[in-house]
Amino acid sequence: MIRRIESTDVKRAMEQVKEELGPDALIFSTRTWRRDQSFGVLGREMVEVIACEKRDLFEASLPETLFALYYELLEEGVDEAIVKSLIKAMKERAPKEVIKDERALRMGLGELMMKIMPPVLPVKKGKRVMALVGPTGVGKTTTALKLAVTEIIAGRRAVIITSDAERVGAAEHLLLCGKAAGVPVEVAMNRREIQRAMERHGDCPLILLDTPGRNYMLNGWTAELQELLPPLPTLEVHLVLAASTRDAELSKLIRRFLSLPLTALIFSKLDESITFGTIFNQTVRFGMPLSYFTTGQRVPEDIEKATKIRLVDLILKLSQEGWR
Ligand SMILES: Nc1nc2c(ncn2[C@@H]2O[C@H](COP(=O)(O)OP(=O)(O)O)[C@@H](O)[C@H]2O)c(=O)[nH]1
Ligand SMILES: [Mg+2]
């Protein structure tokens, strides 16, 4: 719990911190300023302390540097149990000089986080068939376009086969976008039509299957999707999820989708997210590789291949630049 304590002098403020938050409280900042003019020409000097209570024995046992990082990870939305095991490992393994050095500690923690993440999905050489599945509005169609247009710009070929034609205008919109960008788009409403369209583009090195989104809580929806997907052993099924979705909701969603042969997770809308801990939680929790991140609405610019270092950097701000 973070508290803001105000007092007339530093000593009194510190006493109050100890009294209210315990002797191990972590001081985040102290600041003095002059209140208003009613106490004389210069006003009255005030002290403000922002401090955080250590809630349990584990927290109380941490040196200040580690406690600050521990708190930061929790604020980033990393799962408490994962945070505790990471910080515990750092406390036990990191040499004393590292524990004292905030930057070295941060780097060490980053390395440890990368170690516990499953490997990201390698880009397969040769022919790829990628299905994009997920709830409505997360960016499946936009992501398919980004991936296809990137290929076309690089002088390779790609095709989008969409069965997202239930929403009025969805297929028309995609057909128009595809035409403008030089990406062939086929509409196919069931597995047979999809397979036929795939045969027509049999020599195309990248086939993207864009699927409809539904309320994922509807029973039977993933079964319907399963019916749609061609039974190819090499098929990649990428589940697209919006990065700002709540952690518990994401876990529920992934569990629902596990009835499909999922290959990887794509996190979309990183530009609309402030914290990134949930992405880390999901990939670790389900041992499910990440494949791409999308970072805005621009086609094809706003997509990147997911990497572990990128995610850890987003969470720990190692490069101090943020994702932009
Ligand atoms: N801010 C932001 N918007 C995105 C991103 N990806 C897609 N969108 C937008 O999200 C909306 C829904 O995208 P769409 O591809 O139709 O989602 P679908 O229903 O999953 O196919 C559109 O307005 C997209 O422009 C992203 O990475 N960032
Ligand atoms: Mg769509």
Side-chain angles (χ1 to χ4, degrees):
M1 183 182 51
I2 290 193
R3 286 284 310 275
R4 180 177 167 279
I5 283 162
E6 225 184 79
S7 192
T8 46
D9 65 69
V10 176
K11 190 164 166 273
R12 235 183 259 173
M14 290 306 169
E15 277 167 10
Q16 206 174 325
V17 166
K18 281 206 175 117
E19 208 172 279
E20 292 185 26
L21 302 175
D24 296 316
L26 178 76
I27 312 290
F28 282 123
S29 70
T30 51
R31 176 173 85 92
T32 55
W33 84 99
R34 300 209 172 262
R35 187 160 234 174
D36 54 35
Q37 304 300 304
S38 54
F39 291 95
V41 186
L42 293 173
R44 186 179 215 177
E45 190 167 88
M46 295 297 291
V47 179
E48 176 199 76
V49 180
I50 307 283
C52 174
E53 169 190 29
K54 293 187 176 177
R55 292 172 302 177
D56 54 27
L57 278 177
F58 174 74
E59 292 185 1
S61 75
L62 297 175
E64 297 251 309
T65 46
L66 260 184
F67 183 68
L69 271 181
Y70 164 85
Y71 203 84
E72 201 177 308
L73 284 182
L74 289 181
E75 292 237 293
E76 268 294 320
V78 181
D79 182 281
E80 187 167 346
I82 303 178
V83 175
K84 278 197 164 151
S85 72
L86 284 167
I87 296 293
K88 190 163 169 271
M90 288 302 291
K91 188 178 157 222
E92 285 164 6
R93 287 188 223 155
K96 267 204 184 96
E97 354 28 293
V98 172
I99 298 265
K100 276 190 225 145
D101 180 344
E102 204 266 88
R103 175 112 191 116
L105 197 58
R106 197 174 280 271
M107 302 293 273
L109 180 60
E111 271 171 35
L112 194 58
M113 288 171 76
M114 287 197 270
K115 251 189 218 155
I116 66 168
M117 274 170 74
V120 297
L121 191 75
V123 177
K124 211 176 73 191
K125 292 218 169 66
K127 192 178 169 76
R128 285 181 95 183
V129 183
M130 294 171 63
L132 302 181
V133 301
T136 359
V138 288
K140 297 179 294 299
T141 305
T142 314
T143 303
L145 260 174
K146 286 171 181 171
L147 289 167
V149 174
T150 304
E151 287 302 292
I152 306 275
I153 288 174
R156 296 183 289 263
R157 281 176 308 138
V159 60
I160 300 178
I161 301 172
T162 185
S163 36
D164 181 15
E166 285 172 17
R167 243 179 333 133
V168 179
E172 289 74 10
H173 178 70
L174 181 56
L175 283 163
L176 273 178
C177 292
K179 203 164 180 195
V183 181
V185 175
E186 299 256 6
V187 181
M189 293 314 292
N190 53 47
R191 187 188 278 176
R192 263 202 25 223
E193 286 180 18
I194 289 176
Q195 278 173 323
R196 279 208 201 112
M198 282 175 62
E199 279 159 22
R200 278 198 295 281
H201 296 271
D203 59 346
C204 188
L206 177 62
I207 296 182
L208 292 149
L209 305 180
D210 181 30
T211 63
R214 293 267 173 84
N215 175 351
Y216 71 91
M217 292 314 284
L218 286 180
N219 278 331
W221 176 46
T222 49
E224 257 178 58
L225 263 177
Q226 178 81 67
E227 290 280 300
L228 202 64
L229 299 177
L232 270 181
T234 53
L235 177 73
E236 293 177 25
V237 183
H238 297 250
L239 173 58
V240 186
L241 300 164
S244 57
T245 314
R246 273 177 298 141
D247 196 46
E249 185 123 345
L250 283 173
S251 287
K252 256 194 172 167
L253 245 160
I254 295 172
R255 237 171 262 129
R256 279 253 154 165
F257 277 90
L258 281 179
S259 58
L260 300 178
L262 286 188
T263 312
L265 305 175
I266 294 179
F267 275 91
S268 67
K269 310 196 182 186
L270 264 62
D271 55 310
E272 290 182 354
S273 197
I274 299 166
T275 59
F276 302 93
T278 50
I279 303 179
F280 181 77
N281 296 345
Q282 303 306 330
T283 183
V284 169
R285 215 174 266 157
F286 289 94
M288 184 70 70
L290 300 168
S291 56
Y292 294 92
F293 294 142
T294 80
T295 55
Q297 290 182 297
R298 290 177 308 167
V299 176
E301 294 92 337
D302 294 336
I303 186 160
E304 49 185 90
K305 184 78 195 68
T307 63
K308 290 188 185 189
I309 191 135
R310 179 77 161 114
L311 178 60
V312 168
D313 189 28
L314 284 166
I315 295 171
L316 288 177
K317 296 161 191 77
L318 296 167
S319 66
Q320 316 271 313
E321 286 165 10
W323 66 271
R324 278 170 243 260

